[in-house]
Amino acid sequence: IDARVAAEIKAVGVSYAGISIDGTEEVHDRFRGCPGAFQRSLAGIRYCREAGVKVGLRVTMTRDNVGEIPAIFDLLETERIPRICLYHLVYCGRGAEIASHDLAPDVRRATLDLIIDRTMRLHERGFPVEVLTVDNHSDGPYLYLRMVREGNPRAGNVMSLLRMNGGN
């Protein structure tokens, strides 16, 4: 996405663009198999933002990049990117080819705790980033149980959403 494409995206009425970032520059370029991919993705993010298109990051979490999540959150804050979607690996399409790279259950829970902690810190510092985890229906109940355990007064709000959405 260059400046011209970002302007076209805005002109046709697209209000949101999700751009994949798999980690720091070295990890992203290796993950994508394309030197320079990170810098092009970052430029696309900036061009979209300059054109007035809301932009967010898309991250599929695997054993290959789970250690990059803190750096990705740093990038969110530095670049003031308002949204991130962190996807659990789905075993279909290309995901089926790398199913063995999925997170172990204990790593998945630790990663979810990291995501929750980093999100809370961003909000506490006045940056209300939207953080979504996708494709693991236990994330919502996990968040709820953690909030209950910590005595968070908004746990009831999460339970209301879980009931409204059938537990997810």
Side-chain angles (χ1 to χ4, degrees):
I1 300 173
D2 59 17
R4 181 188 58 78
V5 171
E8 288 176 14
I9 289 170
K10 177 68 174 178
V12 299
V14 173
S15 61
Y16 173 75
I19 297 177
S20 294
I21 292 284
D22 303 302
T24 55
E25 186 168 2
E26 177 186 341
V27 171
H28 180 80
D29 287 0
R30 184 177 63 241
F31 205 76
R32 296 287 157 176
C34 181
F38 180 86
Q39 288 302 322
R40 287 192 296 278
S41 294
L42 191 55
I45 289 166
R46 292 171 177 161
Y47 285 126
C48 283
R49 188 175 49 230
E50 290 167 11
V53 177
K54 181 179 177 179
V55 68
L57 301 183
R58 305 272 178 171
V59 181
T60 297
M61 301 178 290
T62 70
R63 288 185 303 157
D64 305 305
N65 70 344
V66 70
E68 298 289 294
I69 291 176
I72 293 169
F73 268 85
D74 291 344
L75 179 67
L76 271 178
E77 187 171 21
T78 301
E79 291 290 328
R80 306 307 284 179
I81 299 168
R83 185 174 202 204
I84 183 170
C85 299
L86 296 127
Y87 291 83
H88 294 276
L89 186 61
V90 176
Y91 302 169
C92 67
R94 291 177 50 202
E97 299 170 16
I98 61 169
S100 64
H101 296 242
D102 199 4
L103 303 179
D106 60 327
V107 174
R108 186 180 311 281
R109 285 187 294 276
T111 302
L112 191 54
D113 283 327
L114 171 70
I115 292 166
I116 294 167
D117 292 341
R118 291 297 299 259
T119 302
M120 288 184 346
R121 284 203 298 267
L122 287 172
H123 280 257
E124 288 166 357
R125 289 201 300 269
F127 183 42
V129 63
E130 298 172 14
V131 178
L132 294 82
T133 61
V134 184
D135 293 326
N136 185 342
H137 301 297
S138 65
D139 287 356
Y142 186 88
L143 173 64
Y144 168 74
L145 291 172
R146 177 175 160 167
M147 292 174 80
V148 168
R149 186 174 67 247
E150 295 175 354
N152 188 308
R154 295 186 63 197
N157 298 42
V158 173
M159 178 53 78
S160 294
L161 289 170
L162 289 170
R163 285 189 176 123
M164 182 178 71
N165 292 302
N168 179 14

